[in-house]
Amino acid sequence: DGDRLAVSTGGGFFLLQEGMLPITVTEETFADLTLPILTTFIDSTGLSPENPSVSWSMDGAEILFVNFSQSCKCTAAMVYDRLTSTLRTLRPRARDARMSPDGKWIAVSEFDTTSVSLVVLDATGAVARTLGKWLSPSGGFPARVEGLEWSPDSREIAFASDADGSWRVYAVDVAGGPIVPMSPSGMEAALPKW
């Protein structure tokens, strides 16, 4: 609605509104918060500052972000509802997450010890489809899939990955289909924008 601005810093996530003072709130104390307007909605312990993964829902009611979760002891995709002042973990083991411009879908890059996957969730958080999965080389770390960026029409997702040994930008149709390299190998491309 243009009235608030979500900002990520090394010290936390902030919901900025003119005239309000920041309040530090951790996941453990979040449920006890009774303030009418929340400005700092979570402590960013474990947040990757180069990839803060903050995006708004189409109606401006929710903020999706990736942060360290005490409940899973890992990074997780979380949703803060600014109207009800509630915080919920959407997907554990997330590296990146973005809401689609039409508000119908959420793209998430999630990982475990052997692989990383690019999945599309419906608005409730249920998995609608897996668009790609990359296995770790034997004994190695999983590839990274980051910088998720929806096309303006919500039909494609662009992202960066080091799956082939160097950072490249790829695109994929969310209805399914092949993952298409958009930058040449060895270019070290990242953070796509439509």
Side-chain angles (χ1 to χ4, degrees):
D1 63 7
D3 190 39
R4 292 166 184 84
L5 179 66
V7 177
S8 169
T9 72
F13 282 97
F14 297 87
L15 187 57
L16 302 178
Q17 185 173 11
E18 188 175 346
M20 296 302 298
L21 297 174
I23 303 159
T24 301
V25 178
T26 65
E27 189 177 10
E28 294 81 21
T29 61
F30 195 86
D32 298 328
L33 187 67
T34 57
L35 298 171
I37 298 177
L38 185 64
T39 54
T40 303
F41 54 91
I42 190 161
D43 173 28
S44 68
T45 306
L47 175 69
S48 171
E50 67 274 2
N51 191 18
S53 297
V54 177
S55 64
W56 288 89
S57 62
M58 192 169 78
D59 63 4
E62 294 183 324
I63 302 170
L64 171 70
F65 61 97
V66 173
N67 197 23
F68 184 80
S69 170
Q70 290 295 330
S71 60
C72 70
K73 302 290 187 223
C74 62
T75 56
M78 299 177 167
V79 175
Y80 169 70
D81 185 318
R82 70 177 185 86
L83 302 177
T84 62
S85 295
T86 56
L87 176 70
R88 66 184 167 98
T89 298
L90 188 64
R91 300 291 292 180
R93 296 177 310 281
R95 186 178 305 276
D96 198 357
R98 291 285 187 277
M99 289 186 189
S100 65
D102 65 9
K104 295 179 183 176
W105 308 105
I106 300 169
V108 177
S109 165
E110 56 187 21
F111 63 93
D112 60 29
T113 57
T114 62
S115 66
V116 63
S117 299
L118 176 59
V119 297
V120 174
L121 314 175
D122 65 19
T124 69
V127 175
R129 66 189 60 87
T130 299
L131 299 177
K133 184 172 186 168
W134 296 265
L135 298 175
S136 302
S138 63
F141 292 101
R144 292 174 289 180
V145 173
E146 299 176 354
L148 305 180
E149 180 73 16
W150 285 91
S151 62
D153 63 5
S154 300
R155 294 179 58 188
E156 292 182 275
I157 301 169
F159 61 93
S161 177
D162 63 352
D164 76 351
S166 67
W167 283 99
R168 294 179 76 176
V169 170
Y170 298 86
V172 62
D173 187 313
V174 296
I179 295 173
V180 179
M182 303 301 288
S183 64
S185 182
M187 183 178 185
E188 298 298 325
L191 301 175
K193 297 291 179 201
W194 291 96

